[in-house]
Amino acid sequence: MNNPHHLNPTSLKSRFTTRFLRALTKIRAQKPISSSSPTEIFRRYRRIKAAADKSMAYSVRSRRIWSRAMLWKLRSRSYRRQDPCSGRRSGKTNQAIMKKSSNENTTTRREDGVGFVEEADELRQLVPGGETMNLCNLLDETAHYIKCLTTQVQVMKKIADFYSF
Amino acid sequence: MDVTVLDRQQATYPLELCASSVPLFQSYLGSGPIVDLKRPEAYLGGDGFHEFVYFPVGGGPEFGDSEKLNLVPPDAAPGYCISRTSSCQMTAFHAASMKEEREDMILEKMESTTGSDSRESFTKRKAEVVADHKSKDKRIKGEVEGESEVKTKCSTQVSRNSSKENSKACEVQKPDYIHVRARRGQATDSHSLAERARREKISKKMKCLQDLVPGCNKVTGKAGMLDEIINYVQSLQRQVEFLSMKIAALNSRVEFNVENLPIKEFPAYVANFPAAAKLPAMPNLTCFQLNPMQKEAVNCMLNETMHPPLTATEGIASASVSIPEQALSSSTITQLQPFSTWNMDPQGLYNVYDMGFH
């Protein structure tokens, strides 16, 4: 590995890339290749997007609030798809947990005293798991989330370019 | 005048409190000579100051490290003494009675800890008391300003961490409290100190975000910056969606298999895509750059000895060999054209996106 262009194998980019490619191969393996109707493409798009989000969240593991929230969301969605009854149950318990944590944090959230509640709320909706963060944490998470999103976009662009030959 | 003050102090507090609350004493003592406020130099070099310092020390032998207590005053006390002068003149005695319980608590804490640590932690706990005292009297803001001037003079003279209650990030051994510098004319009660600390943290983080988000430099003001950040995050998320749509479309169109890609080396390949031709480890992939050679490239890739993660894919790999050839038999350029139009016109892809919803 003397090539200076080779990536650090433990970097976020390489972790995400390997995971995402594996997921892509799985997706391609599942579906028949023939169909190219818009609905099929749309379904595949959903799957690929979920795979991208999942790969990114797994690459970050549980080190960040937003990645934990995203993983939980993805898992609950897959549970719901597999078994509607269990999905409801797990959804309820998880919602209870989220509500509790949000109640704990609402006092800190509302009394920011800094004055931009509207923008902060909007940002909270964008960043996964943002509803339960106070402004300080929200800004931290946003910075890391932006970094991961840019990595994701870069890798996916390259993959798309690669495919489009 | 000083003695009377001292007498009064001793009357209100038991003797054992005297030695432990040496710095506290000075604060109250410092409140005595109001005249000296106008002459801050008196505190720095004056003998009267040292009188205050050394007086109570003799009264507290039961606190063991009296030598240490001796050491305390010359170094740490000046900061206290001087810092307390302004705020404590009128309210010190009112507050004193109210703070008796506080002193008891501080005394207990003092007893529990020993050695230099006790000195440090005690002076830190002093910060609380001082802050409370200051909050009582906002009228003396003018003197607070004067005090901060005195403090700066004092800190240059005293090498140890003086002005403990107000200096930020000094080398304290026991960081129990966050120290924030009180600026001129600003309230210095504990709530606003904490608020100010939070606000500074937040503005620091906003600066970091500013570096991450391009185009944030032009916008001034926190609200504008937050809007920029929100827009940027939204655009990134939309880009991810767009790209995944693109990959989905391309996935269905172009039929070569991803399993046969050297997955371990792909990240490197992805990293320097323009320089892919230079990678010696993947000579096959260089063929990809040339469209007419695509068929050959696919064959090369399929022949490459890779380790596909799923055994089932091998069957698919062999089955799909024929499909790529058929797909590629038609001119590759016509294949690429729809993609190019899609590249130019994301609207087309978004139409597909919308159709999927209905």
Side-chain angles (χ1 to χ4, degrees), chain B residues 266-283:
Chain B
F266 194 80
Y269 177 73
V270 166
N272 57 341
F273 186 70
K278 297 176 198 148
L279 284 175
M282 294 188 289

Side-chain angles (χ1 to χ4, degrees), chain B residues 87-104:
Chain B
S87 58
C88 289
Q89 338 165 16
M90 287 162 241
T91 61
F93 299 117
H94 308 301
S97 47
M98 294 195 306
K99 292 292 173 190
E100 266 183 80
E101 304 145 29
R102 208 60 181 279
E103 309 314 333
D104 287 334

Side-chain angles (χ1 to χ4, degrees), chain B residues 30-48:
Chain B
S31 66
I34 299 174
V35 179
D36 281 343
L37 256 189
K38 313 280 191 291
R39 296 184 286 116
E41 306 82 49
Y43 285 101
L44 299 177
D47 290 334

Side-chain angles (χ1 to χ4, degrees), chain B residues 43-63:
Chain B
Y43 285 101
L44 299 177
D47 290 334
F49 171 66
H50 285 292
E51 271 175 26
F52 301 152
V53 166
Y54 287 116
F55 181 85
V57 174
E62 56 260 38
F63 275 94

Side-chain angles (χ1 to χ4, degrees), chain B residues 229-243:
Chain B
I229 293 168
I230 288 170
N231 287 338
Y232 188 60
V233 171
Q234 275 175 342
S235 77
L236 281 176
Q237 285 178 336
R238 264 186 248 132
Q239 261 183 317
V240 168
E241 289 177 4
F242 176 68
L243 283 169

Side-chain angles (χ1 to χ4, degrees), chain A residues 93-107:
Chain A
T93 50
N94 282 327
Q95 269 178 21
I97 293 169
M98 291 287 275
K99 267 203 191 132
K100 215 197 328 174
S101 50
S102 71
N103 280 337
E104 284 165 5
N105 287 332
T106 9
T107 49

